[in-house]
Each structure stands twice: as C-alpha cells, then as structure tokens.
C-alpha cells in the first residue's frame, strides 16, 4: 500500500529491509495513518537493538509501564517495546 510515488517510499523500504518496521499486517504499512506510541517505541527499540545491542525488557515490563495512566491499553505485542523505551 506504499506507492513508489509516496514521498516516504524509499525510507519505508530501507526501514523494512533493515528490520525496523514490519508494517501493520498483511503486507500493509498504512503510510498515511498517525503513528502510535507502540509503533514508534518498536521502531526505536529495534534500531537500538540493531546498532547498540540494547536488550529488550521482558521480565520487568509492568514496572516500566506503571507510570503510564493508560498502561493497560498497551497492546500485548508492544508491551516489551514500550517498556524498554520507557526504561
């Protein structure tokens, strides 16, 4: 769903090739949608993991999410990414 005429086509292709983004499912990227806290956290943490060997928080994720008033709304797939970014 990312047309080659999209101004961000090249950047999305590079981010995908580098494993920083996976899309929103079924080979879709929704380039016109607003980015969520979960999505940006996942991208930032993946970049840090790739280039700085950052370890993903997985056992203490609730501890790092506790400061968010809406922590219960963080999707299961994003919980560790958001917690790691918050840490």
């Amino acid at each position: 769903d990312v047309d080659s005429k999209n101004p961000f086509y090249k950047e999305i292709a590079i981010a995908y090739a580098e494993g920083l983004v996976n899309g929103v499912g079924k080979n879709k990227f929704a380039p016109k949608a607003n980015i969520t806290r979960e999505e940006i956290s996942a991208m930032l943490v993946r970049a840090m993991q790739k280039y700085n060997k950052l370890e993903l928080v997985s056992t203490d994720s609730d501890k790092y999410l506790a400061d968010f008033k809406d922590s219960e709304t963080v999707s299961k797939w994003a919980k560790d990414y958001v917690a790691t970014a918050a840490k």
Side-chain angles (χ1 to χ4, degrees):
D1 65 334
V2 182
D3 187 282
S4 61
K5 294 176 183 159
N6 183 301
F8 300 110
Y9 177 82
K10 182 178 176 183
E11 289 79 4
I12 293 169
I14 291 169
Y16 178 75
E18 291 293 321
L20 304 180
V21 297
N22 298 323
V24 296
K26 297 183 182 180
N27 265 349
K28 301 288 183 189
F29 285 89
K32 294 181 181 179
N34 290 331
I35 194 164
T36 67
R37 172 180 56 195
E38 295 174 347
E39 293 165 338
I40 195 67
S41 294
M43 287 187 279
L44 290 171
V45 169
R46 287 176 187 146
M48 293 295 291
Q49 285 179 303
K50 184 173 181 82
Y51 300 110
N52 292 326
K53 310 296 185 200
L54 177 71
E55 290 186 34
L56 190 65
V57 169
S58 58
T59 56
D60 294 333
S61 58
D62 288 334
K63 171 180 150 182
Y64 296 104
L65 294 175
D67 289 336
F68 293 106
K69 292 178 183 176
D70 63 345
S71 62
E72 72 282 347
T73 67
V74 176
S75 300
K76 187 175 182 176
W77 72 265
K79 192 174 184 179
D80 294 342
Y81 290 115
V82 175
T84 302
K87 179 183 173 189

